[in-house]
């Protein structure tokens, strides 16, 4: 049985350093500090018009939310309350690894190593999935802890889930797979549907937390936007993406309301993201 044990400063400080490295890497990867913007790196294969599953350029603004949340988390997890949390003792190393992988992905893309970027983002996705499972299974002792963790790592997981699909599609396209194939639009729509199903599954598994699903709705909808304008338009895929995002939105809202309503009153002391 876990008891509150004050963790020494080493791991929290290393976690903060890892998160800050990821934020600095993102600043460089955006092109603001001399790096090549991600959409232009890897011969432009990660741009908004690179594949049928590439989200429109506006989708990437969600990173501002994710990085802001990570910055808040990095500072908060240094506090005495966080250092006494047995849940944070499990989650903190994974949060640090996720930040390192995030920075590594940006570095790999800057080097135009598209295939390796797929490996990195899939490992990042697995780390975030593990965090998600631990967040569901382990109690959080304060409203601050619940809000910071779910408002940060929920959107983080949701967006990386969609980004991983787009990354894989870009890599496969670079190998010439599916180029001008008659089934390519059907496959793109199928992937949007699968993403929506995964988003719905996160709401059910987490007993009503919607932050992962909301980020996935954002990403899927922006795939629809990307296929509605720009240099790679297709009404079929755009419609499939918008419908998938819309259905997931309705399901997430309904499922969250029903699951929360079924909780004992004593457990519903705060609203969770």
């Amino acid at each position: 049985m876990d008891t509150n044990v004050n963790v020494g400063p080493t791991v929290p400080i290393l976690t903060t350093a890892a998160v800050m490295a990821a934020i600095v890497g993102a600043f460089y990867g955006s092109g603001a500090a001399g790096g090549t913007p991600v959409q232009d790196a890897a011969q432009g294969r990660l741009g908004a018009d690179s594949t049928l599953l590439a989200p429109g350029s506006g989708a990437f603004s969600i990173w501002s939310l994710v990085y802001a949340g990570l910055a808040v988390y990095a500072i908060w997890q240094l506090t005495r309350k966080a250092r006494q949390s047995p849940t944070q003792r499990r989650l903190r190393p994974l949060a640090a690894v996720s930040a390192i992988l995030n920075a590594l992905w940006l570095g790999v893309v800057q080097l135009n190593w598209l295939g390796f970027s797929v490996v990195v983002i899939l490992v990042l996705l697995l780390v975030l999935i593990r965090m998600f499972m631990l967040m569901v299974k382990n109690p959080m002792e304060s409203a601050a802890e619940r809000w910071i963790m779910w408002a940060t790592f929920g959107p983080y997981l949701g967006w990386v889930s969609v980004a991983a699909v787009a990354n894989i599609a870009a890599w496969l396209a670079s190998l010439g797979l599916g180029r001008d194939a008659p089934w390519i639009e059907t496959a793109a729509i199928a992937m949007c549907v699968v993403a929506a199903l995964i988003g719905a599954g996160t709401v059910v598994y987490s007993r009503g937390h919607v932050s992962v699903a909301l980020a996935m709705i954002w990403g899927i909808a922006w795939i629809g936007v990307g296929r509605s304008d720009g240099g790679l338009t297709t009404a079929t895929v755009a419609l499939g993406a918008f419908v998938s995002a819309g259905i997931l939105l309705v399901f997430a809202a309904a499922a969250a309301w029903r699951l929360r309503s079924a909780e004992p009153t004593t457990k519903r002391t705060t609203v969770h993201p």
Side-chain angles (χ1 to χ4, degrees):
M1 181 176 179
D2 284 314
T3 57
N4 287 354
V5 177
N6 193 45
V7 175
T10 303
V11 175
I13 289 173
L14 290 175
T15 300
T16 299
V19 170
M20 294 309 168
I23 293 173
V24 170
F27 189 65
Y28 179 78
S30 70
T36 303
V38 170
Q39 63 268 25
D40 297 329
Q43 299 177 328
R45 295 190 181 279
L46 295 172
D49 296 324
S50 59
T51 71
L52 294 181
L53 289 170
S57 58
F60 299 95
S61 62
I62 195 175
W63 276 120
S64 298
L65 171 65
V66 172
Y67 286 126
L70 285 172
V72 171
Y73 168 76
I75 296 169
W76 171 80
Q77 59 90 36
L78 291 170
T79 65
R80 180 180 177 184
K81 184 73 173 177
R83 287 169 56 187
Q84 291 178 337
S85 168
T87 298
Q88 287 307 309
R89 193 165 67 246
R90 295 186 179 96
L91 292 173
R92 188 180 283 109
L94 292 171
V97 170
S98 78
I100 293 169
L101 288 168
N102 193 318
L104 178 61
W105 184 87
L106 287 164
V108 166
V109 168
Q110 290 290 317
L111 293 171
N112 296 323
W113 295 349
L114 191 58
F116 191 32
S117 75
V118 171
V119 176
V120 175
I121 201 169
L122 288 177
V123 176
L124 171 58
L125 181 60
L126 289 174
V127 170
L128 292 173
I129 289 171
R130 179 57 179 164
M131 288 192 70
F132 170 73
M133 295 173 67
L134 289 174
M135 285 163 61
V136 172
K137 293 180 179 179
N138 291 275
M140 298 188 193
E141 299 178 353
S142 68
E145 185 174 19
R146 282 189 292 272
W147 274 99
I148 289 171
M149 295 307 296
W150 282 107
T152 298
F153 292 97
Y156 195 2
L157 171 57
W159 173 247
V160 169
S161 299
V162 176
V165 172
N167 199 162
I168 293 170
W171 173 59
L172 293 176
S174 74
L175 300 176
L177 182 64
R179 183 178 299 166
D180 300 323
W183 48 264
I184 194 68
E185 289 191 357
T186 302
I189 294 171
M191 289 307 301
C192 290
V193 172
V194 169
L197 290 173
I198 292 171
T202 66
V203 179
V204 175
Y205 181 82
S206 64
R207 298 186 292 275
H209 289 284
V210 297
S211 56
V212 179
L214 289 177
M216 295 188 73
I217 290 166
W218 172 268
I220 296 168
W222 273 98
I223 291 175
V225 173
R227 302 294 69 77
S228 300
D229 56 22
L232 188 59
T233 60
T234 159
T236 305
V237 176
L239 179 61
F242 286 135
V243 170
S244 297
I247 291 175
L248 176 55
L249 177 61
V250 172
F251 175 85
W257 178 82
R258 182 170 182 177
L259 289 167
R260 294 295 167 74
S261 297
E263 289 183 2
T265 303
T266 55
K267 291 185 178 182
R268 288 187 278 115
T269 56
T270 60
V271 178
H272 307 301

